[in-house]
Amino acid sequence: MAVEIRELECFLVLSEELHFGRTAERLYLSQSRVSQMLQSLERRIGGPLFERTSRRVALTPLGKEFLTSLRPAYAALERVVENAREYAACVKGKLRIGFQGSANDDMLRAVSAFQARNPNCLIDVCELPLNDPFGALRRGTVDAAVVLLPVAEDDLVVGPVFSRHPQTLAVCKRHQLADRASIDAEDLAGETLIAFSGPAPGYWRQAQAPTQTPSGALIHRGPDVATLQEGLSLIAANRGAMLVCQPTAALNGRAGIVTVPLTGLPDSALGLVWRRGEQTPSVKAFAEHLKT
């Protein structure tokens, strides 16, 4: 005869509490319902599992034997259900991550760790234009994007922020600031900074190529570029300078360009961004790897 799981649960809780009232409270049932379920189980088994009087509730020898056998079997059943839940919620399919500029060490470590932990989900990465940090997200081309901060978009969520580094100024070796050991943001007054073209929003473009020093002095706006390589080419031609973080400078060194440490501006930082309301299990799992 089939045994109801709820009846077994009732038996296990009652064997711990040895009190019908407390058992009913734990199971969110009435005492009469607890009694009915126990009686039903005893009929299925063919003997009493508890001795019940007005003063006490105790396991019978049959009840003790049944409890000894049931506990490990019930625990095994719980593990089976939990394993099935984990499998159903596991990360699978494909995760598409966009990134701006160069994929730095933090991101590459997260990609490797994610793939090792989630073999049923293939992770793809693709480069995003520097002048369009959010377009691929909104078109659904990528599921999440690693972009330069700041991000202030109502339809996007900023997850973990990472890879904070001081800014440097990339200049041509013939530039007047090229021989400096370091420069302050105020030294940019009167200089020309290579900027990014649209469709990146104005506040984002201003953060990457400010048109004023912190004190309000004018910084000239140079040519607009769409990619980092375009910017580096213009720097080499001495058409202007460009703000780049230390890791990007190290990864993209080329003849004719030097990078000078820059103080007085906020550090560069990256953030993982996704569409609001669309944090899938795979995006959530990838974000966790970026936090570590």
Side-chain angles (χ1 to χ4, degrees):
M1 184 178 295
V3 176
E4 298 288 340
I5 295 296
R6 191 63 166 163
E7 294 174 359
L8 298 178
E9 183 182 16
C10 180
F11 168 79
L12 288 170
V13 174
L14 185 56
S15 68
E16 294 175 4
E17 297 292 346
L18 296 178
H19 189 281
F20 278 82
R22 291 193 296 269
T23 298
E25 290 177 1
R26 280 182 56 178
L27 296 175
Y28 300 98
L29 299 172
S30 65
Q31 290 190 45
S32 60
R33 180 58 180 151
V34 170
S35 296
Q36 291 171 2
M37 294 175 71
L38 179 60
Q39 291 169 3
S40 175
L41 179 61
E42 288 176 330
R43 286 195 300 270
R44 295 177 193 276
I45 292 175
L49 300 172
F50 291 92
E51 294 177 352
R52 302 183 282 278
T53 69
S54 59
R55 293 178 175 270
R56 64 189 291 269
V57 176
L59 285 164
T60 63
L62 174 61
K64 292 178 181 179
E65 177 64 25
F66 184 56
L67 178 63
T68 300
S69 301
L70 177 61
R71 272 179 174 159
Y74 191 84
L77 179 60
E78 287 184 317
R79 288 193 297 271
V80 168
V81 173
E82 184 59 30
N83 289 341
R85 285 176 177 167
E86 291 180 0
Y87 183 83
C90 76
V91 176
K92 49 187 178 290
K94 179 180 286 190
L95 174 64
R96 302 162 300 173
I97 300 293
F99 65 92
Q100 286 187 290
S102 302
N104 69 4
D105 290 342
D106 290 332
M107 178 179 167
L108 292 176
R109 280 193 294 267
V111 169
S112 179
F114 174 91
Q115 193 65 85
R117 185 73 180 270
N118 302 281
N120 294 324
C121 182
L122 178 64
I123 185 168
D124 285 344
V125 295
C126 65
E127 185 177 356
L128 305 177
L130 274 179
N131 70 329
D132 189 13
F134 313 127
L137 265 177
R138 288 176 171 142
R139 292 190 297 272
T141 307
V142 297
D143 303 302
V146 173
V147 300
L148 283 164
L149 299 184
V151 176
E153 305 295 305
D154 291 341
D155 60 329
L156 303 178
V157 175
V158 181
V161 173
F162 62 101
S163 193
R164 293 185 182 274
H165 294 282
Q167 298 277 13
T168 68
L169 187 70
V171 296
C172 175
K173 285 186 175 180
R174 304 189 303 275
H175 195 280
Q176 63 179 356
L177 298 176
D179 295 330
R180 298 276 292 270
S182 66
I183 58 176
D184 184 77
E186 294 300 331
D187 296 326
L188 298 177
E191 297 294 339
T192 299
L193 286 184
I194 294 169
F196 294 109
S197 58
Y203 73 87
W204 188 90
R205 296 160 63 190
Q206 180 70 20
Q208 314 311 324
T211 54
Q212 289 183 328
T213 68
S215 68
L218 177 66
I219 302 173
H220 298 295
R221 182 186 176 97
D224 287 348
V225 298
T227 69
L228 176 61
Q229 295 307 315
E230 289 177 7
L232 294 174
S233 296
L234 289 175
I235 294 169
N238 205 18
R239 295 285 306 280
M242 190 173 180
L243 298 182
V244 295
C245 65
Q246 288 178 344
T248 298
L251 287 171
N252 293 276
R254 63 164 63 182
I257 295 177
V258 297
T259 53
V260 184
L262 176 65
T263 60
L265 290 179
D267 288 349
S268 172
L270 297 173
L272 182 68
V273 182
W274 58 85
R275 295 179 293 275
R276 187 172 298 279
E278 297 187 30
Q279 188 189 29
T280 63
S282 55
V283 169
K284 182 178 179 180
F286 184 73
E288 290 297 321
H289 287 296
L290 282 176
K291 294 179 182 178
T292 57

